[in-house]
């Protein structure tokens, strides 16, 4: 690669194909592990249905109860802010929608760019606040592992490079856009092998926990 355009074409071409392949194979392995290897046969007689309690827990565990919010209000609030911001920017930024349409053939209305820009800024602030809190909180600091910082880092890279590219704060522009695409590809490569997998498994795990308790006739 001898110029910015070649770098951009590399990120949109060979590197993109490698990232998608690693992501797909990694996620397939994780899902096979979860669905085929992770659950032992339960021979006990079921006392109640699994599906209703499973879906109820899937919903209730998605929102913090009053006790949790009182104990960990900062974590709940900041977590919601940057997670929601990340999702909104990912699915409602018009260029992202156009990319999804080119791959899957489906599209939906997006938000105006100034709103997406504001959401991106709030998301960045939320991510930084979450990192500072983790570094300053003695218990969190003790419990944090390399994986925690790795997942934070690749997530932050995706948002900050997108923000820099949108505002053209890195020149020339092909470099800025290429860096954003490369950061997304690193995110995809890391995702199946880290806690980022919860993007696809969080609701499954919540349903599973609720279903287990439901089968036992106990409310989760």
């Amino acid at each position: 690669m001898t110029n910015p355009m070649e770098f951009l074409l590399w990120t949109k071409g060979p590197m993109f194909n490698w990232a998608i392949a690693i992501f797909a194979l990694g996620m397939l392995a994780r899902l096979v592990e979860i669905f085929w290897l992770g659950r032992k046969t339960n021979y006990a007689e079921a006392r109640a249905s699994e599906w209703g309690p499973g879906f109820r827990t899937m919903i209730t565990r998605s929102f913090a109860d009053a006790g949790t919010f009182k104990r960990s209000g900062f974590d709940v609030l900041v977590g919601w802010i940057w997670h929601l911001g990340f999702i909104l920017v990912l699915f409602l930024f018009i260029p992202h929608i156009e990319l999804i349409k080119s791959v899957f053939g489906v599209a939906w209305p997006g938000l105006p760019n100034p709103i997406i820009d504001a959401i991106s800024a709030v998301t960045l602030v939320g991510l930084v606040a979450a990192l500072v809190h983790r570094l300053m909180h003695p218990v969190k600091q003790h419990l944090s592992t390399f994986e925690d910082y790795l997942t934070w880092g690749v997530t932050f890279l995706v948002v900050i490079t997108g923000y820099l590219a949108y505002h053209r704060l890195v020149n020339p522009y092909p470099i800025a856009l290429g860096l954003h695409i490369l950061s997304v590809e690193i995110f995809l490569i890391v995702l199946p092998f880290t806690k980022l997998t919860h993007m696809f498994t969080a609701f499954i795990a919540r349903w599973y926990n609720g279903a287990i308790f439901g089968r036992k006739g106990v409310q989760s």
Side-chain angles (χ1 to χ4, degrees), residues 26-45:
M27 280 308 303
L28 179 63
R30 291 300 298 267
L31 293 176
V32 167
E33 179 186 15
I34 291 171
F35 288 111
W36 289 358
L37 305 178
R39 187 176 184 180
K40 296 180 179 177
T41 303
N42 190 345
Y43 296 104
E45 184 178 353

Side-chain angles (χ1 to χ4, degrees), residues 80-115:
W80 264 101
I81 288 174
W82 80 256
H83 276 87
L84 187 60
F86 189 91
I87 293 170
L88 289 175
V89 173
L90 175 61
F91 290 109
L92 295 181
F93 184 39
I94 292 174
H96 293 169
I97 297 172
E98 291 298 322
L99 175 63
I100 294 170
K101 182 181 179 181
S102 68
V103 176
F104 298 104
V106 294
W108 48 84
L111 288 174
N113 287 346
I115 294 178

